[in-house]
Amino acid sequence: MKKVGILFGMENTFPWAFIDKVNEKTGKKDIVAEPVLIDKVEQGVPTDYAVIFDRISQDVPFYRAYLKNAALNGSAVVNNPFWWSADEKFFNNCLAIKLGVPVPKTLLLPSKERPDDTSDQSFRNLAMPMDWQYMLERVGFPAYMKPHAGGGWKSVYKVENPDDLWAKHGETGQLVMLLQEEIVFTDYYRCYCIGGKYVHIMPYEPRNPHHLRYATQPKTQGEAHKKLMATITDYVLKLNQALGYDFNTVEFAVRDGIPYAIDFCNPAPDADINSVGQTNFEWVVENAANFAIEKAQSHKPGQNNCTWGTFVSGASAAPAAAEEKPKKVATKKSK
């Protein structure tokens, strides 16, 4: 019997519906789903779970350490806790450019306050002052300033001009911030991606109150809408396959018919029925359950069962391939 566990906190609707759906599909014969229960964590000792869906470790460091040990010892953790620990929004934007996915013009800002246990000498490689004229002209105003890592719309600012930027940057403490071009959009979409292959595109209005953000309809219609949906689907798959996320959301703001990827680092995305609505909820529960069963069926005890994106797997394979390449040996021709 293989076990699928889900690790979660305050959310109630998705975890229990996910458990029920997996058990309904499997009949609890070879695969059973349940909430993860942790009574001890010992180094190098595997868990009882073939698959663990992680919905909470971003807020609980103890859980993140537990999941890394579980993954090391064979559990397929969704999402990969090693990559999730390393990933952040600025890198995602950089990777999107390499993949050919449009993103807003974005620059990285050093923290307003020095990190703890640092001094002026810690920043001797940082130009003082930085080239603010270039950065502000590159992004323009109004713009958005947000943390380079994290989520939940925390510490996100709209800045109208340089003085407004300096004032609001002064509130950010030790946070490393992004300064990002504003995309004045006609349409906005939030897209689930599960297993790097299941995509669900949802019209979304981030300017609405939270409970009404999915209560909107696309303005683009007809053939233009079909083309836009195909492009967005392609971008969602490219981003998630490169990043290696099994369960993520990607947000796009559409300007002049071009979808710009705005946010695509949501490895514990909102899946609550009260915010996403019944139809979207049913889709995410159904496809998360299907993917969990697939992962349990393909699980191999004691092996690395986590998903690694093409960015990581390609980079790790390149040196090995180079080493394996036969070397030409110079030989003297006989006379």
Side-chain angles (χ1 to χ4, degrees), residues 40-59:
K40 58 183 177 297
V41 183
E42 183 178 355
Q43 62 184 10
V45 177
T47 73
D48 294 332
Y49 300 99
V51 181
I52 301 175
F53 266 59
D54 172 22
R55 304 284 296 165
I56 188 62
S57 76
Q58 71 276 10
D59 296 326

Side-chain angles (χ1 to χ4, degrees), residues 4-213:
V4 173
I6 184 165
L7 188 67
F8 60 102
M10 293 182 287
E11 66 173 338
N12 283 310
T13 60
F14 173 74
W16 299 109
F18 169 80
I19 290 168
D20 290 343
K21 182 61 70 172
V22 172
N23 289 334
E24 173 192 317
K25 288 176 174 290
T26 65
K28 296 185 178 181
K29 292 180 180 178
D30 300 313
I31 299 170
V32 62
E34 65 183 34
V36 170
L37 182 63
I38 304 169
D39 61 357
K40 58 183 177 297
V41 183
E42 183 178 355
Q43 62 184 10
V45 177
T47 73
D48 294 332
Y49 300 99
V51 181
I52 301 175
F53 266 59
D54 172 22
R55 304 284 296 165
I56 188 62
S57 76
Q58 71 276 10
D59 296 326
V60 183
F62 171 79
Y63 287 158
R64 183 59 62 87
Y66 161 80
L67 290 169
K68 287 180 177 178
N69 184 61
L72 181 65
N73 288 282
S75 294
V77 180
V78 178
N79 285 292
N80 184 331
F82 297 101
W83 178 244
W84 191 357
S85 297
D87 193 25
E88 38 85 356
K89 294 179 183 297
F90 185 67
F91 169 77
N92 283 358
N93 272 44
C94 299
L95 183 60
I97 291 172
K98 296 292 185 183
L99 296 171
V101 177
V103 289
K105 297 171 186 173
T106 303
L107 292 156
L108 187 68
L109 307 181
S111 58
K112 173 64 177 176
E113 297 177 6
R114 292 196 304 261
D116 294 337
D117 301 320
T118 64
S119 68
D120 288 341
Q121 287 187 326
S122 304
F123 294 88
R124 63 179 68 191
N125 299 104
L126 189 65
M128 295 291 183
M130 297 181 70
D131 193 347
W132 289 106
Q133 181 177 350
Y134 171 85
M135 291 192 286
L136 300 187
E137 289 178 354
R138 176 66 175 160
V139 171
F141 290 102
Y144 283 91
M145 184 173 62
K146 62 181 77 170
H148 89 298
W153 292 84
K154 297 176 182 176
S155 302
V156 176
Y157 300 86
K158 183 174 183 178
V159 292
E160 301 290 348
N161 52 55
D163 289 339
D164 193 27
L165 171 63
W166 310 140
K168 289 172 178 173
H169 191 240
E171 301 173 7
T172 60
Q174 295 183 13
L175 292 174
V176 176
M177 305 296 287
L178 304 180
L179 184 63
Q180 193 166 79
E181 169 193 14
E182 180 183 38
I183 302 294
V184 180
F185 58 87
T186 52
D187 274 321
Y188 199 99
Y189 296 93
R190 198 162 202 252
C191 313
Y192 281 121
C193 186
I194 296 178
K197 57 183 177 180
Y198 304 119
V199 176
H200 183 59
I201 303 173
M202 302 170 286
Y204 187 76
E205 178 46 83
R207 295 167 294 198
N208 282 352
H210 188 75
H211 67 290
L212 295 175
R213 289 181 179 175

